[in-house]
Amino acid sequence: MTAKFYHAADAVPHRVDAIEMDEAPREGARVATLGQTITLSIEGLKDFFFADWRRDLIDLLVIAAAVEYCDLSVRRPAWGWARSFDLLVAVHDEEKWSSPPVRSALEEALAFLTGDRWTVSFTTRRDPVVKITPRRLELDTPDKVIMPYSDGLDSRAVAAIVEDQEKGGLVRVRLGSKGVDSTKVPRKKRRFAIVPFDVRLGKRQRVESSARSRGFKFAVITGIAAQLAPVDRIVVTESGQGALGPILVSSGQSYPDYRVHPAFTRRIERLFQALTDKAPTYEYPRIWNTKGETLALASALATPPTWHDTRSCWQDSRRVSFDGERRQCGVCAACMLRRMSIHRAGIEEPASRYIWENLGAAELEDGAVAGFSGMSPAFRDYALAGILHLDHLAALSGSELHQRTVRRVARETAEALGMEMAEGESALTGLLERHRAEWLDFLTSLGNRSFVARVARVSPWH
């Protein structure tokens, strides 16, 4: 399935020009001015371009920023999903970007990821981005593997596993986080620590929350890091529920979420091949494992990671603070998967890490820490969605009704990973069986009176 045919897009494309200041925009275009709306971080560029100065990669960063601007500033239609974009971007090498192989690979990757229609064209920059002075870095170990690193549970667990297997050479690319180990690494040895661009949109301008373009942003950043390190391998840290769950159990009219799926990163590989003649390979070592299994494996290492300062929660910190301390909500889909996985791995975690300390409470309201005053209908919706997402994913195991969906995702994933269809179907079936067992064990641990267990029992498969 390609996004171009998933939903009918808006009849009239949204015209957006990411151009330099004082350049005349096209008629009817919304302007994202380079240097104002879209800015490059000098510090971030120093962290990335520590050896070579590559204008083609600078252009790719600007394109990623322009795509983010489009995605966040245009609301999806009330009916259907897809929007249509006509994007113009000022680049250093208009001829290269306009070549059919590069332009086609770019538009296909964007359409597949976001579910929108994309037409991207280019114009030549008048003022090239000024070359920064590269940062001198003292590197002790040859680079082997790039890893997108958010410092969450999966990132920390898989980083520890890969470090143990490779015996060094892991390069972490921070995705919106400095990373827990950044203070331990001298500044002169740190790379890829800051996202090197910023898109400035006011609160009223940010009208769309689905933010599928984040997948493009992070894939581009890790791909650029692989070009500059240079290494050929990028390890994606996501476990099975995170990579495949949003596609197996998509909600409502939403287009499936492919942000960390190999079918998307294969398209990113093709983009880099067309643009630079050198493509990294994205690897998925934990895609057929549950998050709980990944945590258990990392915890069993001779030097296991610590987990107490990781976060999984989707909620804004202002909504989940209590008594001056930032917590996690404990009931959104991300928190629910975290708590189930920690239970599976046998990791001890204080209930005080969460606003909802007690998932065994009979009523949702009774499970929150005493004195919490921020309860709202939105929290109830998040809790219901979180419970039902994990429950519906468990319901796929052995379900004849959902067999077609499971086979489709198995086929798509196996093809992207270069596996036989039968092997992919067997691997996905096993993953779903183990997820189901972990979910039921977690529900049992909460007790029959738990509001979590009661919501889950509403599902017809129980």
Side-chain angles (χ1 to χ4, degrees):
M1 171 175 53
T2 63
K4 295 180 181 180
F5 303 104
Y6 189 76
H7 286 302
D10 293 347
V12 179
H14 297 275
R15 183 171 285 184
V16 177
D17 289 0
I19 55 177
E20 295 169 284
M21 200 178 308
D22 299 328
E23 282 289 301
R26 295 174 297 172
E27 183 179 356
R30 184 181 309 179
V31 180
T33 306
L34 304 187
Q36 291 184 341
T37 308
I38 294 173
T39 58
L40 295 175
S41 160
I42 297 299
E43 195 68 18
L45 292 178
K46 284 182 178 180
D47 281 347
F48 270 71
F49 293 87
F50 55 88
D52 299 321
W53 184 249
R54 297 273 302 274
R55 285 184 170 175
D56 55 346
L57 302 184
I58 292 287
D59 288 339
L60 185 52
L61 288 173
V62 173
I63 291 167
V67 167
E68 182 175 322
Y69 175 88
C70 292
D71 186 32
L72 298 182
S73 65
V74 176
R75 196 183 305 277
R76 293 195 178 276
W79 295 98
W81 173 266
R83 303 159 298 183
S84 183
F85 292 105
D86 177 1
L87 172 63
L88 173 70
V89 186
V91 294
H92 292 92
D93 191 343
E94 179 184 352
E95 184 178 358
K96 174 183 280 190
W97 281 103
S98 298
S99 67
V102 175
R103 182 173 172 175
S104 175
L106 173 64
E107 291 176 346
E108 168 62 17
L110 291 174
F112 183 82
L113 173 67
T114 65
D116 300 309
R117 291 179 185 267
W118 291 86
T119 300
V120 188
S121 56
F122 305 95
T123 185
T124 302
R125 295 185 70 120
R126 293 176 309 162
D127 300 316
V129 176
V130 177
K131 181 177 180 179
I132 53 92
T133 302
R135 186 187 302 281
R136 293 189 62 188
L137 296 170
E138 298 177 12
L139 307 176
D140 299 327
T141 306
D143 298 331
K144 298 178 184 177
V145 181
I146 290 285
M147 177 178 290
Y149 194 77
S150 65
D151 205 28
L153 285 178
D154 280 314
S155 289
R156 198 175 292 189
V158 178
I161 294 168
V162 172
E163 285 275 24
D164 184 70
Q165 293 171 343
E166 301 288 341
K167 309 304 179 188
L170 174 64
V171 182
R172 295 168 174 84
V173 179
R174 271 79 184 176
L175 305 180
S177 170
K178 293 182 179 180
V180 71
D181 64 345
S182 61
T183 56
K184 302 175 185 178
V185 180
R187 178 64 185 165
K188 60 185 178 181
K189 294 187 178 182
R190 245 182 278 161
R191 295 164 289 167
F192 314 124
I194 303 173
V195 173
F197 68 77
D198 183 46
V199 179
R200 297 176 180 174
L201 282 169
K203 288 184 177 180
R204 292 186 178 182
Q205 293 174 300
R206 290 179 179 263
V207 297
E208 178 53 44
S209 61
S210 57
R212 293 295 172 83
S213 63
R214 285 173 62 86
F216 184 72
K217 170 182 178 177
F218 295 148
V220 159
I221 287 173
T222 53
I224 289 175
Q227 293 278 329
L228 297 173
V231 299
D232 298 324
R233 300 167 56 201
I234 299 174
V235 170
V236 180
T237 63
E238 209 71 37
S239 296
Q241 294 113 319
L244 304 178
I247 302 168
L248 287 162
V249 187
S250 56
S251 59
Q253 65 182 15
S254 298
Y255 173 72
D257 188 346
Y258 285 98
R259 280 179 288 186
V260 288
H261 190 276
F264 167 59
T265 52
R266 293 296 171 258
R267 286 165 168 81
I268 293 295
E269 291 173 7
R270 289 196 283 273
L271 172 59
F272 274 102
Q273 184 64 46
L275 179 66
T276 69
D277 294 324
K278 180 179 180 293
T281 299
Y282 289 81
E283 301 176 3
Y284 291 77
R286 306 303 298 173
I287 196 170
W288 302 122
N289 295 96
T290 68
K291 192 186 194 86
E293 291 169 338
T294 298
L295 296 182
L297 180 60
S299 294
L301 295 172
T303 306
T306 57
W307 313 109
H308 67 279
D309 54 346
T310 59
R311 287 186 59 82
S312 304
C313 188
W314 290 343
Q315 301 291 341
D316 184 278
S317 60
R318 291 171 295 180
R319 301 189 66 201
V320 291
S321 293
F322 179 75
D323 199 20
E325 178 188 7
R326 184 188 183 192
R327 299 191 180 195
Q328 301 181 78
C329 76
V331 290
C332 68
C335 281
M336 201 68 69
L337 176 58
R338 174 192 179 95
R339 298 177 86 164
M340 181 188 79
S341 302
I342 282 176
H343 174 77
R344 158 64 178 85
I347 297 170
E348 295 291 333
E349 184 176 52
S352 58
R353 301 286 181 200
Y354 303 99
I355 292 294
W356 264 265
E357 294 183 341
N358 182 16
L359 294 183
E363 300 294 337
L364 173 66
E365 293 79 1
D366 298 334
V369 57
F372 178 65
S373 58
M375 178 61 187
S376 68
F379 271 123
R380 176 171 290 279
D381 291 342
Y382 274 113
L384 292 175
I387 295 167
L388 291 177
H389 175 77
L390 294 181
D391 198 63
H392 290 172
L393 192 59
L396 298 181
S397 178
S399 168
E400 292 186 8
L401 178 64
H402 299 98
Q403 193 175 64
R404 183 176 179 180
T405 296
V406 172
R407 284 183 171 173
R408 175 183 61 79
V409 175
R411 180 176 63 253
E412 190 172 47
T413 308
E415 181 180 354
L417 294 174
M419 300 168 59
E420 294 293 330
M421 169 58 189
E423 184 183 1
E425 189 169 340
S426 175
L428 181 53
T429 298
L431 169 66
L432 292 173
E433 288 174 350
R434 298 193 306 280
H435 168 77
R436 179 181 184 276
E438 290 181 19
W439 176 238
L440 292 178
D441 182 61
F442 182 60
L443 293 179
T444 299
S445 74
L446 299 179
N448 289 331
R449 296 184 65 253
S450 161
F451 71 89
V452 179
R454 287 194 294 104
V455 171
R457 280 198 296 268
V458 172
S459 297
W461 74 281
H462 282 275

